[in-house]
Amino acid sequence: MRLTHPSPEDGPHMWRLAGETGMDVNSPYAYTLWCRDFAATSVVAKDADGRVAAYVTGYIRPDSPDTYFLWQVAVDSAYRGQRLARRMLDFIGDTFADQGVQYLEATVTPDNAASRALFASFARNWGTEDVWSPLFTEEHFPSDGDAHEPEDLVRIGPVGPTSDNPDD
């Protein structure tokens, strides 16, 4: 599996993967634009055939340049169990630790045990803590008959280089 930054050609594949994994799906245009404008802060995992098997999208928060916000993480079901999500998070951490980024943030619904375990594992192996707090309630989202679950914020940090990381 090769980890790299995405290109606009990866956008449609990321859009497909978002839908297949049950995530909140944005427009195909949004993923393609993301791969142009936020490629440096995102990562794709490609299999031996060059197929997008997983991705992480995120950005450096404009009002907090020491904080990386992870927007989405998706792993194709055929590639689960290979620690791709953790490897991509470590790729992001390694990319930004030397650039002054000290925190990783993400939002997670209360019932998403897999994501909660992923972020706890990342924090533990980077020698820091994961702090959870409510961020968005159901009232923050428009109601079209399908209520959106609340989103809790996880803030992980401070992070540093992974040279002492036992998982490396």
Side-chain angles (χ1 to χ4, degrees), residues 115-139:
S115 288
R116 288 175 179 270
L118 170 66
F119 292 121
S121 169
F122 177 79
R124 184 175 50 255
N125 288 307
W126 279 68
T128 192
E129 62 182 349
D130 52 319
V131 177
W132 293 86
S133 60
L135 183 63
F136 299 123
T137 65
E138 291 175 359
E139 291 79 29

Side-chain angles (χ1 to χ4, degrees), residues 4 14 16-17 20 30 43 46 51 55 60 81 89-90 107-108 111 127 129 144 159 163:
T4 187
M14 293 164 62
R16 174 197 50 81
L17 188 54
E20 290 175 355
V43 59
K46 294 185 176 185
R51 182 175 176 264
Y55 72 84
I60 305 299
L89 287 185
D90 288 339
T107 61
V108 179
D111 66 345
E129 62 182 349
D144 59 359
V159 296
S163 58

Side-chain angles (χ1 to χ4, degrees), residues 24-109:
D24 287 340
V25 180
N26 298 280
S27 72
Y29 172 76
Y31 289 94
T32 301
L33 185 65
W34 192 279
C35 290
R36 184 194 80 157
D37 291 350
F38 296 105
T41 57
S42 300
V43 59
V44 291
K46 294 185 176 185
D47 67 13
D49 296 326
R51 182 175 176 264
V52 174
Y55 72 84
V56 166
T57 54
Y59 58 90
I60 305 299
R61 290 191 53 208
D63 60 345
S64 298
D66 67 342
T67 303
Y68 176 86
F69 183 83
L70 187 148
W71 176 49
Q72 283 189 325
V73 57
V75 178
D76 187 303
S77 61
Y79 295 95
R80 293 202 178 131
Q82 298 181 25
R83 298 179 39 86
L84 277 178
R86 254 310 296 283
R87 289 172 52 200
M88 290 186 300
L89 287 185
D90 288 339
F91 180 93
I92 293 294
D94 287 336
T95 299
F96 296 113
D98 293 333
Q99 298 176 25
V101 173
Q102 298 180 47
Y103 298 93
L104 181 144
E105 290 183 342
T107 61
V108 179
T109 56

